[in-house]
Amino acid sequence: MKYDLILKNGLVILEDSQQNVEIGVKDGKISAIGQDLGEAETVIDAKNQIVSPGMVDAHVHITEPGGGYRDGWEGYVTGTSAAAKGGVTSFIEMPLNQVPATTDKASIQTKFDAGKDELSVDVASYGGLVPYNLNGGIQELDEAGVVAYKAFLATCGDRSIEGDFENVDDYSLYEGMKQIAKTGKILSIHSENATITDRLGEIAKANGETTLSAYVDSRPVFTEVEPIRKIILFAKETGCRVHIVHVACEEGVDEIIKAQQEGVDITCETCTHYLYFYKEELDDIGPVVKCSPPIREQSRLEGMWRRVLNGDISFVTSDHSPCTPDLKDTDNAFEAWGGIAGLQNNVDILFDEGVQKRHLSLQKFADIIATAPAKRFGLDSKGCIAVGKDADFVLIKPNAPYTLAAEDLAYRNKMSPYIGREIGAQVTQTILRGQEIYNQRTGISEKRVGQFI
């Protein structure tokens, strides 16, 4: 057979080992793994590089359409370009911050229309669970092919914008979980106690607090843990499969492990920024690093890494949630938009911080960025380098430090808390279904070969 592509001379991360093998690609699929595979239309020499499955980022916010309210936020062209440059070959798009939010058949079609011919990577979709879509919206989203659902327990959305996302009350959560259980799909949940965190924030602001450190203090660890316990109870009652997004504390992970041992179908993720930044440095960085749940103390950082290394945290995501610069341009942390632009710098930072600095195995690295999220959300053609899977790869140059600059970013608004940081590995090439979508020498491909999954 003559292959469309052969990738050779790299150290390939397979499901149970890493080997210097060749990968043969035909019609966008991995068709052979072995030695001396023969001829191909294109040959990629990956000498001195790691060949990993492309990242499957299970938590990304794209704000298109913006509905006239958020038109300057991240769009599909810039968002998926940044993904390609960062070694992300697929991501799951959240049902907010676009307007309208993705809560029914009409709104998901609006989203598909907005992304037509604009994708550099493959994009799967979340549907929303909100108080206003309990009368058929969940079923419409299931039929439209969402891979999972998303709900907020923390306060979210703008009530002055028609069709914006909205957090659930306890009844909406309970009823929504019953309906989602019937689809067999997962409900992913932002778990923070809205009543307490909102009030603590109001009090801090009224007392003249403006710092990010004070913002962190207004969202204490127990306000993450308490709703996780409630979700576990509701999951037992309804049979709904659940996933806790962006867990930022060990105590939350421990509750999830305990529930798993009791037979609850529950998993969790953390984000790269919770494994990298810490509270004591936030005010030196500024509002660009504000997020929710907040980044916690330095003393907690290695504990979160231990949960990753032990497999207690299923995978790591970006929670890429950027905005326009004006929403971060304030000296008052309580007034700044809460979201971090991180989609482009997960693979390189996690490889550096995990593999190179903490001896994370290559198999575990591939698992937390690709294999585990693909399995959890049923993206059957994604997530690992094996015959029959999509030919999605990221090539990583190890021990190759560089300092991230704003001009390196492919985002619409070139903001990131990682700017100025030295990162000890580099993404050199990204392949989606056998087609090059990013090359360090030539840049991001102008061909938009991504698809909605």
Side-chain angles (χ1 to χ4, degrees):
M1 176 194 294
K2 186 173 183 179
Y3 299 97
D4 300 326
L5 170 69
I6 288 178
L7 206 156
K8 66 179 185 179
N9 293 333
L11 182 60
V12 180
I13 308 176
L14 303 173
E15 290 183 275
D16 57 359
S17 63
Q18 61 262 8
Q19 298 181 36
N20 289 101
V21 290
E22 295 183 358
I23 306 170
V25 176
K26 187 74 175 176
D27 298 326
K29 298 284 187 180
I30 299 169
S31 59
I33 300 172
Q35 302 292 347
D36 302 320
L37 293 183
E39 295 183 357
E41 294 286 339
T42 304
V43 176
I44 294 176
D45 188 344
K47 186 177 181 181
N48 298 324
Q49 296 181 81
I50 307 295
V51 181
S52 169
M55 183 172 182
V56 179
D57 190 339
H59 195 146
V60 174
H61 295 267
I62 299 294
T63 313
E64 189 172 357
Y69 299 95
R70 302 182 183 128
D71 296 348
W73 295 30
E74 193 79 273
Y76 282 112
V77 169
T78 52
T80 62
S81 293
K85 191 170 185 180
V88 177
T89 49
S90 307
F91 63 70
I92 308 178
E93 184 191 355
M94 287 291 166
L96 67 162
N97 301 312
Q98 64 269 28
V99 181
T102 305
T103 57
D104 57 15
K105 180 180 180 180
S107 54
I108 198 169
Q109 188 58 53
T110 298
K111 189 193 79 160
F112 291 151
D113 292 344
K116 190 175 188 302
D117 301 324
E118 292 194 346
L119 308 182
S120 289
V121 302
D122 287 352
V123 177
S125 300
Y126 265 105
L129 164 58
V130 291
Y132 58 81
N133 78 335
L134 297 173
N135 294 317
I138 289 169
Q139 292 73 26
E140 289 179 9
L141 291 166
D142 180 41
E143 292 166 5
V146 299
V147 299
Y149 295 84
K150 172 72 178 291
F152 264 71
L153 299 191
T155 299
C156 70
D158 184 338
R159 298 286 68 80
S160 70
I161 298 175
E162 184 178 355
D164 205 11
F165 210 76
E166 185 176 343
N167 46 295
V168 291
D169 54 70
D170 284 353
Y171 172 74
S172 300
L173 177 64
Y174 168 65
E175 174 60 27
M177 288 177 77
K178 287 199 299 181
Q179 293 185 26
I180 292 167
K182 293 178 181 178
T183 72
K185 292 176 180 175
I186 291 167
L187 174 63
S188 294
I189 308 173
H190 179 135
S191 302
E192 287 185 289
N193 183 304
T195 304
I196 298 173
T197 55
D198 289 354
R199 186 68 184 120
L200 288 177
E202 290 168 3
I203 292 169
K205 192 175 177 183
N207 288 338
E209 299 285 0
T210 61
T211 65
L212 279 162
S213 181
Y215 168 74
V216 175
D217 293 341
S218 75
R219 306 181 90 89
V221 163
F222 86 92
T223 63
E224 260 195 274
V225 176
E226 180 270 336
I228 290 174
R229 289 177 173 173
K230 178 168 68 177
I231 291 160
I232 290 166
L233 180 62
F234 281 29
K236 289 177 179 177
E237 185 69 22
T238 63
C240 185
R241 304 168 68 206
V242 290
H243 175 74
I244 309 300
V245 296
H246 50 45
V247 177
C249 64
E250 299 163 76
E251 293 89 338
V253 179
D254 293 344
E255 293 292 333
I256 290 156
I257 296 304
K258 190 190 311 178
Q260 289 173 347
Q261 293 167 349
E262 294 171 355
V264 179
D265 190 340
I266 183 171
T267 51
C268 69
E269 69 188 52
T270 193
C271 302
T272 304
H273 45 266
Y274 298 123
L275 300 171
Y276 189 83
F277 297 108
Y278 49 87
K279 173 188 171 183
E280 292 83 352
E281 65 178 343
L282 300 184
D283 282 301
D284 290 334
I285 300 169
V288 72
V289 79
K290 179 187 174 182
C291 61
S292 173
I295 290 163
R296 303 204 181 275
E297 293 77 8
Q298 187 174 16
S299 61
R300 292 175 166 273
L301 191 62
E302 294 308 319
M304 290 297 288
W305 268 110
R306 280 195 299 275
R307 297 304 193 278
V308 172
L309 293 165
N310 292 343
D312 297 335
I313 294 171
S314 295
F315 47 85
V316 183
T317 68
S318 68
D319 188 9
H320 180 68
S321 185
C323 60
T324 48
D326 59 296
L327 297 179
K328 290 287 193 181
D329 186 18
T330 173
D331 293 328
N332 190 330
F334 289 89
E335 295 176 352
W337 168 259
I340 286 176
L343 179 59
Q344 190 174 309
N345 293 106
N346 292 281
V347 172
D348 52 7
I349 288 175
L350 290 171
F351 189 89
D352 186 25
E353 296 292 320
V355 176
Q356 296 185 161
K357 294 181 180 176
R358 292 177 176 83
H359 310 294
L360 181 74
S361 72
L362 289 177
Q363 279 69 46
K364 190 62 182 174
F365 169 76
D367 190 52
I368 64 170
I369 70 162
T371 310
K375 286 181 178 178
R376 183 61 172 156
F377 293 105
L379 303 179
D380 297 335
S381 65
K382 306 292 186 183
C384 63
I385 298 176
V387 172
K389 298 285 188 179
D390 284 357
D392 297 349
F393 315 117
V394 54
L395 276 60
I396 303 165
K397 185 178 181 182
N399 303 309
Y402 78 103
T403 300
L404 183 70
E407 55 265 28
D408 297 329
L409 298 172
Y411 308 142
R412 174 174 283 170
N413 299 295
K414 300 188 185 306
M415 301 184 296
S416 168
Y418 301 112
I419 290 172
R421 298 286 178 131
E422 183 177 271
I423 303 169
Q426 297 181 37
V427 170
T428 62
Q429 206 164 357
T430 308
I431 310 295
L432 173 66
R433 286 180 276 104
Q435 299 183 70
E436 181 182 85
I437 56 173
Y438 170 71
N439 186 303
Q440 196 174 46
R441 294 189 306 276
T442 58
I444 301 161
S445 173
E446 294 182 1
K447 291 186 290 185
R448 306 280 171 193
V449 298
Q451 301 171 353
F452 280 111
I453 302 173

